[in-house]
């Protein structure tokens, strides 16, 4: 027996099965129901946007790493997640170049220029969405009718008139323009199943909640950010005179709370910090929705809170067992 | 009763099913084999040999001691002739002076052993003296001299004696087997320690993956008013001293302080058994119980071995390897030390030998931190390993200290959960050593 063959390494000698790629794979699995609902509702153009977005994100990540002579890490699937999330934040009617420009901004500007995975201080997909919204406001708000769901919704007795318009109003725009909007049961069902105008992946609340529950079950995320975020929006919109049980299912809240605000790199690592993050996002979202110029505030709320993360982490360190040594 | 525990922690796979049903089997070293006795088998000053080359020594004869306060004497575990005294490799990886004894196979006992057994009449001082002379140290792995632990000084008001039978390391099953097979002797050992601290209550703390042992202990201790059996949640690192004290008493040992400062003494099950043997049977520490496990060994099990036998001898006596091991660990998989040679002796602190196959020993590659925060969520000390790792990479010792890096208990929970497979515990441990060495110099 040749002794020198033994591996010698530091403790611990066993590691958990979770890895970066297994976590990213779980996020992809969790996003799939909402993405499929988006494709069903908005048609093949939605599928095309998703495909182009994922492909360009992976391409830009690999390309940037190749050019800068780094190890190519697209196999960790994080670029796929960014691409998928970006597509879910775009309207189905986006021109083909939009996810490409967005993918470049998300991967190269927001992620790689700051050091790659784990180093981006803002959510790359949301940064790209904000960039596109500021640069191409018309294209970014040209929502189409989710015509694919019309016959499905008839099962519930919800009849949707077919509208021949270039821009289909989102529920939040309707709420904003109507002053005091009283949703009917049909409106709530439409919001739950995604028979409303909006970005590809944000419309079907049920699919997003299912995906979120899967992430909670798999312990990829904790309840802290999504629960406090949604609860804060519920309470504040109610206080501001909106209809809270409608408000939480419309717009990008479910997508934002479960999938965007929980982005590891740009959210706090401390448990108390995560609660502050959720509440902060909830406050900003509610204020923007009710008092802001935009009908929706999820993306900007999360981006603003992203900037506060280093500060939050710094002031919410856990209590040391035994009090720590006096300094 | 609700199972008690500490905050945070991890749940590595148990892997105890290989050996937890295997009765403790006694293995005696073969005639003519060499017994290697390192002079450093404990925390504190190493011993000096009190025998020389060519001397004949008897079983149980004291062969090494030290005048230092923190130290513990060493006894021969066989009878035979001192072959030589030389530097040898120890399981911890360091070299140590050692006495090599050629076993004559007769196990001829030192005639002074086993005479002084009227333990009921022993005074407090005599019991502590007995434990000291028997060379007993913490057998859970730390190796701190037990007689010092048992006698923390009159200013410390000890009110809890905790027998640590959590056995939270995966694979290890010796504590479990001792509780099942030597139940009464464990209780007797605890009673002896309680005699030293009459105001204290005795707790035998067991994780709830050993319910059979908990039942047996509860039955056996029913009539003893000052002993309770405590059920703990199965969670790593439940057996860590500070976490154990917290689970049982809800007291936190302040940073830089000892268990006695919060009125507690914690001893491992095998240590308690050694105390019982030293006091009741008047016999020194010459053997210990070891779990041999891992996918590479033919006959995993729990073996009572003589101290000084080599890893190789133990493995060969049990039937050898099923396949070539890729990694051999002295101790458990979370905190044990990987050895590079099988020619190291079993010492007082060797709780297990794990021989892992290539698949079991596979080491994942380190990648970038993704800031998932899992390490923060599991650290039993409430540290932020992510931040400490950053301080280490930046070589910022000052920030490392400020972020309480020195409070790390090196349990490895952070490295265990890290999805990016970062060597968090390793980096913190190395820096801890460096910072402490720097402080010493000042």
């Amino acid at each position: 027996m040749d002794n020198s063959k033994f591996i010698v390494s530091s403790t611990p000698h066993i590691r958990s099965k979770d890895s970066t790629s297994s976590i990213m794979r779980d996020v992809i699995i969790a996003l799939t129901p909402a993405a499929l609902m988006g494709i069903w509702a908005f048609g093949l153009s939605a599928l095309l946007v998703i495909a182009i977005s994922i492909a360009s994100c992976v391409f830009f990540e690999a390309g940037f790493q190749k050019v800068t002579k780094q190890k190519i890490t697209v196999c960790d699937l994080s670029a796929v997640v960014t691409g998928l999330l970006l597509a879910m934040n775009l309207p189905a009617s986006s021109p083909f170049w939009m996810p490409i420009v967005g993918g470049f901004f998300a991967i190269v500007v927001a992620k790689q220029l700051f050091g790659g995975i784990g180093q981006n201080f803002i959510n790359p997909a949301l940064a790209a969405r904000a960039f596109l919204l500021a640069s191409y406001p018309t294209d970014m708000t040209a929502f189409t009718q989710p015509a694919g769901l019309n016959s499905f919704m008839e099962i519930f007795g919800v009849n949707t008139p077919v509208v021949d318009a270039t821009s289909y109003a989102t529920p939040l725009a309707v709420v904003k323009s109507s002053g005091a909007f009283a949703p009917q049961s049909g409106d709530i069902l439409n919001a739950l199943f995604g028979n409303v105008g909006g970005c590809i992946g944000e419309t079907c609340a049920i699919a997003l909640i299912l995906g979120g529950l899967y992430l909670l079950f798999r312990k990829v995320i904790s309840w802290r950010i999504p629960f406090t975020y949604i609860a804060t929006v519920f309470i504040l919109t109610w206080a501001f005179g909106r209809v809270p049980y409608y408000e939480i299912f419309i717009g990008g809240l479910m997508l934002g709370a479960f999938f965007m605000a929980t982005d590891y790199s740009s959210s706090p690592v401390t448990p108390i910090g995560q609660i502050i993050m959720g509440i902060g996002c909830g406050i900003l979202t509610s204020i923007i929705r009710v008092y802001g110029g935009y009908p929706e505030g999820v993306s900007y709320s999360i981006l603003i809170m992203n900037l506060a993360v280093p500060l939050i982490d710094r002031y919410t360190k856990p209590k040391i067992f035994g009090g720590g040594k006096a300094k | 009763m609700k199972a008690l525990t500490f905050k945070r922690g991890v749940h590595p796979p148990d892997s105890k099913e290989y050996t937890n049903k295997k009765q403790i089997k006694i293995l005696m070293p073969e005639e003519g084999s060499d017994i290697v006795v390192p002079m450093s088998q404990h925390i504190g000053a190493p011993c000096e040999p009190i025998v020389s080359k060519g001397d004949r020594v008897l079983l149980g004869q004291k062969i090494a001691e030290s005048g230092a306060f923190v130290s513990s004497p060493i006894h021969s575990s066989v009878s035979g002739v001192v072959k030589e005294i030389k530097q040898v490799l120890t399981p911890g990886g360091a070299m140590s002076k050692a006495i090599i004894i050629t076993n004559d196979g007769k196990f001829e006992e030192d005639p002074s052993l086993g005479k002084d057994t009227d333990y009921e009449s022993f005074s407090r001082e005599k019991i502590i003296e007995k434990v000291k002379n028997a060379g007993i140290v913490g057998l859970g792995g730390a190796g701190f001299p037990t007689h010092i632990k048992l006698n923390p000084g009159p200013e410390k008001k000890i009110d809890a004696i905790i027998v640590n039978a959590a056995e939270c390391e995966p694979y290890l099953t010796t504590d479990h087997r001792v509780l099942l097979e030597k139940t009464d002797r464990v209780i007797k050992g605890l009673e002896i320690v309680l005699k030293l601290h009459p105001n204290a209550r005795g707790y035998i703390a067991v994780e709830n993956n050993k319910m059979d042992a908990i039942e047996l202990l509860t039955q056996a201790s029913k009539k003893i008013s000052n002993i309770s059996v405590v059920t703990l949640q199965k969670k790593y690192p439940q057996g860590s001293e500070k976490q154990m004290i917290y689970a049982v008493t809800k007291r936190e040992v302040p940073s830089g302080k000892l268990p006695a400062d919060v009125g507690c003494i914690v001893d491992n099950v095998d240590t308690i058994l050694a105390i019982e043997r030293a006091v009741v049977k008047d016999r020194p520490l010459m053997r210990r119980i070891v779990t041999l496990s891992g996918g590479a060994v033919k006959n995993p099990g729990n073996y009572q071995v003589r101290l000084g036998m080599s890893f190789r001898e133990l493995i060969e006596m049990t039937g050898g390897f099923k396949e070539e091991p890729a990694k051999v660990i002295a101790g458990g998989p979370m905190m044990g030390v990987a050895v590079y040679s099988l020619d190291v002796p079993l010492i007082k602190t060797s709780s297990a030998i794990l021989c892992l196959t290539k698949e079991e020993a596979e080491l994942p590659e380190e990648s970038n931190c993704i800031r998932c925060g899992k390490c923060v969520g599991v650290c039993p000390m409430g540290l932020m390993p992510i931040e400490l790792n950053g301080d280490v990479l930046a070589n910022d010792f000052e920030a490392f200290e400020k972020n309480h890096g020195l409070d790390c208990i090196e349990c490895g929970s952070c490295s265990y959960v890290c999805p990016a497979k970062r060597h968090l515990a390793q980096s913190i441990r190395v820096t801890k050593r460096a910072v402490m060495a720097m402080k010493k110099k000042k």
Side-chain angles (χ1 to χ4, degrees):
Chain A
M1 199 184 324
D2 184 1
N3 283 334
S4 63
K5 275 194 206 145
F6 295 158
I7 301 169
V8 176
S9 67
S10 185
T11 56
H13 304 287
I14 49 173
R15 301 294 185 96
S16 72
K17 287 199 174 64
D18 290 338
S19 66
T20 304
S21 55
S22 78
I23 287 172
M24 296 300 162
R25 194 176 57 225
D26 275 339
V27 177
I28 295 168
I29 292 171
L31 281 169
T32 304
L36 289 177
M37 286 303 283
I39 295 167
W40 188 13
F42 298 108
L44 282 179
S45 59
L47 179 62
L48 199 65
V49 173
I50 294 175
I52 296 174
S53 179
I54 293 176
S56 54
C57 281
V58 172
F59 171 80
F60 286 125
E61 176 137 307
F64 184 90
Q65 288 175 330
K66 179 104 186 151
V67 169
T68 54
K69 298 192 172 63
Q70 298 176 60
K71 199 177 150 207
I72 294 176
T73 59
V74 289
C75 289
D76 67 17
L77 300 179
S78 67
V80 176
V81 170
T82 305
L84 186 53
L85 280 172
L86 172 62
M88 298 190 63
N89 277 288
L90 297 176
S93 59
S94 303
F96 78 92
W97 50 263
M98 203 129 91
I100 300 177
V101 174
F104 175 82
F105 194 87
I107 294 294
V108 176
V109 179
K111 184 179 175 187
Q112 290 297 343
L113 286 183
F114 287 94
I117 190 166
Q119 299 295 319
N120 49 289
F121 65 96
I122 48 174
N123 186 317
L126 280 184
R129 179 185 145 86
F131 168 76
L132 293 173
L133 193 59
S135 310
Y136 316 102
T138 330
D139 285 327
M140 280 297 285
T141 49
F143 300 113
T144 49
Q145 184 173 13
L149 288 180
N150 283 3
S151 48
F152 171 72
M153 291 309 291
E154 278 167 19
I155 301 171
F156 303 97
V158 179
N159 287 305
T160 322
V162 176
V163 187
D164 189 22
T166 44
S167 189
Y168 191 81
T170 65
L172 275 166
V174 173
V175 171
K176 186 121 207 161
S177 59
S178 78
F181 181 77
Q184 308 299 308
S185 65
D187 293 316
I188 292 170
L189 280 171
N190 278 337
L192 286 176
F193 287 105
N195 187 26
V196 290
C199 296
I200 296 169
E202 70 178 13
T203 51
C204 180
I206 287 184
L208 289 164
I209 292 170
L210 266 179
L213 291 177
Y214 175 76
L215 289 187
L216 284 171
F217 169 73
R218 296 279 297 159
K219 298 205 165 104
V220 170
I221 59 172
S222 88
W223 59 271
R224 294 185 196 94
I225 294 176
F227 177 79
T228 52
Y229 191 171
I230 295 167
T232 307
V233 170
F234 187 92
I235 294 166
L236 281 183
T237 50
W238 180 52
F240 292 155
R242 294 267 186 107
V243 183
Y245 53 85
Y246 184 53
E247 203 73 32
I248 59 170
F249 296 123
I250 55 176
L253 182 60
M254 288 298 165
L255 180 63
F258 283 112
F259 295 96
M260 315 290 279
T262 54
D263 171 47
Y264 286 153
S265 307
S266 53
S267 67
V269 293
T270 63
I272 301 169
Q274 290 169 355
I275 290 172
I276 295 175
M277 172 87 182
I279 295 174
C281 286
I283 294 173
L284 290 172
T285 300
S286 309
I287 292 176
I288 296 175
R289 277 189 182 183
V290 179
Y291 300 108
Y294 283 111
E296 174 58 313
V298 168
S299 334
Y300 289 117
S301 315
I302 296 172
L303 286 172
I304 292 168
M305 287 309 290
N306 284 166
L307 303 181
V309 165
L311 204 63
I312 295 173
D313 267 345
R314 188 164 162 188
Y315 288 106
T316 56
K317 288 183 186 175
K319 189 187 148 292
I320 309 286
F321 184 98
K325 208 161 265 175
K327 296 249 25 141
Chain B
M1 194 179 74
K2 205 174 150 272
L4 303 174
T5 193
F6 60 100
K7 287 179 195 153
R8 298 176 282 265
V10 292
H11 295 94
D14 221 6
S15 306
K16 292 182 192 284
E17 62 280 6
Y18 302 108
T19 54
N20 62 4
K21 300 266 177 334
K22 301 264 175 76
Q23 270 202 0
I24 299 169
K25 209 170 138 189
I26 299 173
L27 292 182
M28 292 306 244
E30 274 161 30
E31 187 184 335
S33 65
D34 281 349
I35 289 292
V36 177
V37 190
M39 294 297 97
S40 190
Q41 304 199 21
H42 48 261
I43 289 178
C47 291
E48 275 304 318
I50 51 173
V51 292
S52 8
K53 190 176 164 177
D55 286 358
R56 178 169 154 77
V57 294
L58 300 174
L59 177 75
Q61 181 183 331
K62 192 195 281 182
I63 53 174
E65 62 184 8
S66 159
F69 177 67
V70 182
S71 193
S72 184
I74 299 167
H75 304 76
S76 175
S77 61
V78 294
S79 61
V81 174
V82 177
K83 188 176 163 192
E84 59 184 321
I85 295 173
K86 64 166 184 182
Q87 292 286 322
V88 298
L89 180 67
T90 62
M95 299 297 284
S96 164
K97 191 195 275 184
I99 303 171
I100 321 282
I101 302 162
T102 305
N103 174 23
D104 63 12
K106 294 184 182 127
F107 298 100
E108 192 183 324
E109 266 188 34
D110 187 321
S112 68
L113 293 192
K115 297 282 184 293
D116 191 16
T117 56
D118 183 22
Y119 68 97
E120 302 278 7
S121 68
F122 288 176
S123 68
R124 181 192 153 83
E125 287 67 33
K126 182 152 183 194
I127 292 177
I128 289 167
E129 196 59 27
K130 284 249 159 207
V131 171
K132 181 181 175 184
N133 288 337
I136 299 173
V137 302
L139 298 177
F144 189 79
T146 302
H147 63 277
I148 302 174
K149 221 177 186 180
L150 291 182
N151 194 17
E155 74 283 1
K156 306 270 197 289
K157 299 271 172 284
I158 300 297
D159 62 2
I161 311 289
I162 304 171
V163 180
N164 187 344
E167 202 161 49
C168 59
E169 276 265 13
Y171 290 99
L172 273 54
T173 53
T174 56
D175 291 353
H176 189 182
R177 293 313 305 180
V178 168
L179 292 180
L180 289 178
E181 296 175 34
K182 301 167 200 279
T183 322
D184 293 331
R185 290 181 57 196
V186 172
I187 292 171
K188 172 66 68 194
L190 177 54
E191 283 184 300
I192 290 167
V193 179
L194 283 169
K195 222 174 134 182
L196 302 176
H197 299 281
N199 298 322
R201 186 163 185 81
Y203 300 91
I204 306 175
V206 191
E207 277 191 355
N208 58 5
N209 58 352
K210 298 179 263 289
M211 289 315 287
D212 48 352
I214 292 173
E215 262 165 53
L216 214 57
L217 286 164
T218 312
Q219 276 300 322
S221 64
K222 219 164 44 188
K223 293 206 178 69
I224 307 166
S225 62
N226 59 346
I227 292 182
S228 354
V229 182
V230 181
T231 308
L232 302 172
Q233 244 179 60
K234 175 189 126 51
K235 193 166 78 176
Y236 180 86
Q238 183 62 79
S240 152
E241 200 164 57
K242 290 181 176 180
Q243 275 59 37
M244 168 64 74
I245 291 171
Y246 181 81
V248 176
T249 67
K250 290 285 167 289
R251 295 176 202 160
E252 285 187 21
V253 180
S255 175
K257 299 277 185 185
L258 293 170
D261 293 307
V262 291
C264 296
I265 292 175
V266 184
D267 275 315
N268 172 264
V269 178
D270 207 14
T271 313
I272 291 288
L273 202 59
I275 293 172
E276 186 263 358
R277 199 168 35 240
V279 176
V280 176
K281 299 196 174 150
D282 192 27
R283 294 172 74 82
L285 182 64
M286 297 178 288
R287 56 87 180 138
R288 70 156 297 137
I289 302 165
V290 179
T291 297
L292 175 66
S293 192
V297 291
K298 206 175 267 167
N299 289 308
N302 304 293
Y303 298 100
Q304 182 173 314
V305 297
R306 293 279 150 170
L307 295 173
M309 285 169 75
S310 75
F311 280 29
R312 186 187 298 281
E313 190 177 4
L314 165 62
I315 293 165
E316 276 167 9
M317 283 176 92
T318 63
F321 292 117
K322 199 158 63 180
E323 62 177 281
E324 187 81 2
K327 190 184 230 179
V328 178
I329 302 166
M334 294 299 288
M335 286 190 80
V337 181
V339 298
Y340 59 84
S341 165
L342 289 177
D343 296 304
V344 288
L346 285 151
I347 61 173
K348 291 176 181 178
T349 52
S350 310
S351 55
I353 302 175
L354 300 184
C355 304
L356 304 184
T357 60
K358 206 160 165 255
E359 292 80 60
E360 290 172 312
E362 208 157 22
L363 283 175
E365 208 182 316
E366 204 178 25
S367 62
N368 281 5
C369 169
I370 57 171
R371 276 183 51 86
C372 66
K374 284 183 198 284
C375 54
V376 182
V378 300
C379 178
M381 295 304 286
L383 306 175
M384 291 181 63
I386 180 177
E387 193 178 40
L388 291 168
N389 185 240
D391 297 337
V392 173
L393 294 178
N395 251 320
D396 190 345
F397 285 10
E398 214 169 293
F400 180 86
E401 246 193 286
K402 216 171 106 200
N403 291 324
H404 307 284
L406 295 181
D407 281 286
C408 170
I409 56 169
E410 303 175 20
C411 66
S413 298
C414 48
S415 298
Y416 174 79
V417 292
C418 182
K421 313 297 169 193
R422 299 196 62 76
H423 306 317
L424 299 169
Q426 179 179 0
S427 73
I428 296 169
R429 173 170 43 232
V430 169
T431 308
K432 227 177 108 177
R433 300 276 186 282
V435 171
M436 290 199 290
M438 243 166 49
K439 285 194 145 181
K440 232 179 203 169
K441 249 188 226 160
K442 268 187 200 159

